[in-house]
Amino acid sequence: MVAGHLREKRGYFHIVLSYTDENGKRQTPSKTTGLPVKGNKKRAEAMLMEARQSKELELKKLQEEKEAKENDTPQNPNPQDEAKIPFTTFMLDWLEMMKPNLDKPTYASYSFCIKSKIVVYFDEFFPGLALCDLTPKHIQDYYTYEMKERKVSANTVIHRHANIHKALKYAVKIGLINSNPSDRIERPKKEKFVGSIYNQEELEQLFEVVKGDPIELAVILGAFYGLRRSEVVGLKWNAIDFKQKTITIRHTVTQVTLDGKSQIIQKDRTKTKSSYRSLPLIPPFEELLYRLKAQQEMNRKMCGKGYCNDFREYIYVNEIGELIKPGYITQHFPLVLKKNGLRKIRFHDLRHSCASLLYANGVSLKEIQEWLGHSDIGTTSNIYTHLDYSNKVSSANAILPCYPQTLRAEPIGQ
């Protein structure tokens, strides 16, 4: 079987084939399509398919000629030759092997990392590098290149390392290599996340400017309930109990890009078991839901057959019934802030703002963990350690009288 993929190099598409020739050796020839990257992906993909089919016919003919000349049954290839498979080919083969075991968002993440980053780098700088010849320095050089030349964050490189390490661990397991070279590299130090948050006054301004805007529902759910973007878009009407006054987070909608195409993934489950949670339905939000429900009914009548009924169970839909995509929130939110002169933050920072206000009003980290749906309190504590600063100030002021007068002119923080 002839495998292959497209590689972008110097603004043009190149075809990279991968196959075992008639002598049992791995070959990875590369050939330019002559097509510029912009606007030519479908034509390049067609040329790739044609090249693969042509090579398969050529190999089949060569194999038939070889078998015709031989009297005995062809010998099995030396198992050690398998280790001579190019590293990039092995990574692509491993990715395909993992595909059935991964959900789509995870597979999309793996695919983007391996096909668009790892394979592209090694094909350009170390073309044809065999799996058995891969050294820790090759991997270390790749991480250095990503951070210095492409300005990729340390956390992103750590994610790339996770893919490489896992794949090479499998190579060791099946006997292709004796040891995992990624075990002997220095990973970059993980960067500690510090979120940007809105205070109560800024949130009040935000609530005011988004009234009537399509982003209003997302802002309220993000800032008050601390919902993730996938939980906002995934919210369904059956998750709202108007009698018991509760809202249950149990559905998600995510958006992924797979092989250059955007896909919407709907799930009747949350990110983790702890993310499944019930929260109180506050009066202002309940009123907004009633308004949205009435508006949707009116839109359905006005649009008639033109109304999309595929997403009737979802709350967050547009005027013609189409589901609001997660990408819309990410793109539209900063535009609203800029238009109204509000400080720039990410939409996900509303979740951090929610946690900050909860803590400021006496809610414990354990309760915040349950409100946000973190799997363990360690996650909550690591992200919101800075919220403990007020307690540290109180501790400092308590011990201050024990020190000489010169050290306690006035309490700390005043």
Side-chain angles (χ1 to χ4, degrees), residues 153-197:
S153 70
N155 290 353
T156 299
V157 169
I158 290 173
H159 284 303
R160 306 263 172 89
H161 172 74
N163 286 151
I164 292 176
H165 183 270
K166 193 171 183 179
L168 294 178
K169 184 178 179 181
Y170 174 74
V172 173
K173 181 179 179 180
I174 62 175
L176 291 181
I177 51 179
N178 295 324
S179 62
N180 189 337
S182 67
D183 282 336
R184 303 193 299 277
I185 62 97
E186 290 292 331
R187 291 194 315 165
K189 187 176 181 181
K190 188 173 183 179
E191 300 164 348
K192 187 172 182 179
F193 171 79
V194 179
S196 179
I197 62 173

Side-chain angles (χ1 to χ4, degrees), residues 122-301:
F122 280 93
D123 274 350
E124 180 169 354
F125 292 98
F126 303 102
L129 176 68
L131 173 64
C132 60
D133 294 330
L134 181 70
T135 67
K137 190 174 186 307
H138 287 124
I139 302 172
Q140 197 79 64
D141 286 347
Y142 167 57
Y143 297 161
T144 301
Y145 171 83
E146 288 283 34
M147 295 184 71
K148 286 190 174 182
E149 301 297 327
R150 300 183 63 84
K151 308 302 179 185
V152 169
S153 70
N155 290 353
T156 299
V157 169
I158 290 173
H159 284 303
R160 306 263 172 89
H161 172 74
N163 286 151
I164 292 176
H165 183 270
K166 193 171 183 179
L168 294 178
K169 184 178 179 181
Y170 174 74
V172 173
K173 181 179 179 180
I174 62 175
L176 291 181
I177 51 179
N178 295 324
S179 62
N180 189 337
S182 67
D183 282 336
R184 303 193 299 277
I185 62 97
E186 290 292 331
R187 291 194 315 165
K189 187 176 181 181
K190 188 173 183 179
E191 300 164 348
K192 187 172 182 179
F193 171 79
V194 179
S196 179
I197 62 173
Y198 266 10
N199 58 34
Q200 186 169 344
E201 182 180 346
E202 289 174 308
L203 283 176
E204 289 175 356
Q205 291 178 325
L206 177 61
F207 290 148
E208 189 63 33
V209 302
V210 298
K211 282 184 178 178
D213 190 282
I215 203 77
E216 180 182 10
L217 178 64
V219 167
I220 292 176
L221 289 171
F224 184 84
Y225 286 106
L227 264 59
R228 303 175 179 91
R229 187 182 64 164
S230 60
E231 295 169 342
V232 169
V233 182
L235 197 61
K236 294 184 178 182
W237 286 111
N238 63 13
I240 311 298
D241 190 329
F242 289 102
K243 291 184 178 180
Q244 298 297 324
K245 307 297 181 186
T246 61
I247 169 175
T248 302
I249 314 305
R250 57 174 176 240
H251 308 287
T252 59
V253 171
T254 53
Q255 189 171 359
V256 301
T257 300
L258 191 56
D259 296 328
K261 297 180 181 179
S262 179
Q263 297 184 26
I264 297 297
I265 311 297
Q266 302 163 248
K267 294 182 180 179
D268 290 328
R269 60 181 175 83
T270 51
K271 183 179 179 182
T272 64
K273 290 182 179 180
S274 301
S275 296
Y276 184 104
R277 59 202 188 275
S278 291
L279 303 170
L281 182 62
I282 58 170
F285 184 58
E286 182 178 8
E287 292 173 10
L288 174 61
L289 288 176
Y290 277 124
R291 292 203 309 271
L292 288 173
K293 200 170 188 63
Q295 185 67 49
Q296 287 180 18
E297 288 298 329
M298 185 174 71
N299 290 339
R300 191 175 293 113
K301 291 178 181 179

Side-chain angles (χ1 to χ4, degrees), residues 94-104 107 258-259:
W94 177 79
L95 177 65
E96 286 306 302
M97 182 202 70
M98 293 292 292
K99 187 175 182 178
N101 304 321
L102 303 171
D103 60 13
K104 271 195 175 181
Y107 174 75
L258 191 56
D259 296 328

